[in-house]
Amino acid sequence: MARPQKPKIFQMDTEISTTERKVGAYTIEHLSSGAVYHGSTVHLYRRVIEHQKDLRSGNHANQGLQELYTSGGELELRFFPTATDKEALLKEQSLIDQTPKDKLLNLSFNTANTMAGLWDNPEVRATFSESRKGNT
């Protein structure tokens, strides 16, 4: 008996392979609110699976993205391929810089120091810790 398929979390603008490494930046947009999260990766498939697992389990490290996912509405993932991981970080920074701050879900506005200063915030530490429970 086949297991039922889980619903897709993301509408995607690109096909992704389980084996092909796709390097680049990406945007996850909550379509009804226009709120966006920008990231970068050296393996798009793995990163998408991580986001999906965390969102489905209610343990995404980004509480704003988790709350929007939980409240409903569609999420769209757009991918911006790059040649290197450094270019991916630069593209992610460009996307962050172009996004109005009231629509930005990223916890940090600087990709060079993504977690800089955040560990001093007890709420961020608690959210991150909670999102990683059971991953050992």
Side-chain angles (χ1 to χ4, degrees):
M1 185 169 173
R3 289 186 351 195
Q5 290 252 311
K6 291 182 180 174
K8 278 185 174 177
I9 288 185
F10 303 118
Q11 294 180 25
M12 290 194 239
D13 71 345
T14 189
E15 290 294 316
I16 58 173
S17 161
T18 60
T19 57
E20 180 186 4
R21 266 186 80 201
K22 286 193 176 184
V23 178
Y26 61 91
T27 294
I28 300 172
E29 180 177 358
H30 183 255
L31 296 177
S32 60
S33 70
V36 294
Y37 172 86
H38 302 293
S40 58
T41 185
V42 295
H43 199 300
L44 180 62
Y45 176 79
R46 286 185 190 155
R47 191 65 188 115
V48 167
I49 294 302
E50 287 173 6
H51 278 298
Q52 289 178 334
K53 180 178 105 8
D54 291 345
L55 288 166
R56 280 189 179 119
S57 69
N59 291 321
H60 200 283
N62 186 296
Q63 201 58 40
L65 184 58
Q66 182 66 59
E67 288 171 6
L68 288 171
Y69 169 73
T70 302
S71 72
E74 291 185 272
L75 297 176
E76 179 180 70
L77 186 134
R78 289 187 300 280
F79 183 62
F80 306 91
T82 63
T84 68
D85 55 344
K86 183 164 180 93
E87 288 176 15
L89 281 172
L90 291 171
K91 179 61 178 176
E92 178 186 359
Q93 186 65 59
S94 172
L95 292 166
I96 288 170
D97 293 343
Q98 294 171 32
T99 303
K101 299 302 181 229
D102 65 325
K103 294 292 183 183
L104 192 61
L105 295 170
N106 292 62
L107 300 177
S108 173
F109 301 148
N110 184 350
T111 60
N113 300 303
T114 305
M115 296 304 286
L118 291 178
W119 290 115
D120 293 334
N121 182 327
E123 183 179 357
V124 171
R125 290 179 78 117
T127 299
F128 185 80
S129 177
E130 188 66 32
S131 74
R132 297 298 169 226
K133 282 187 179 173
N135 291 340
T136 58

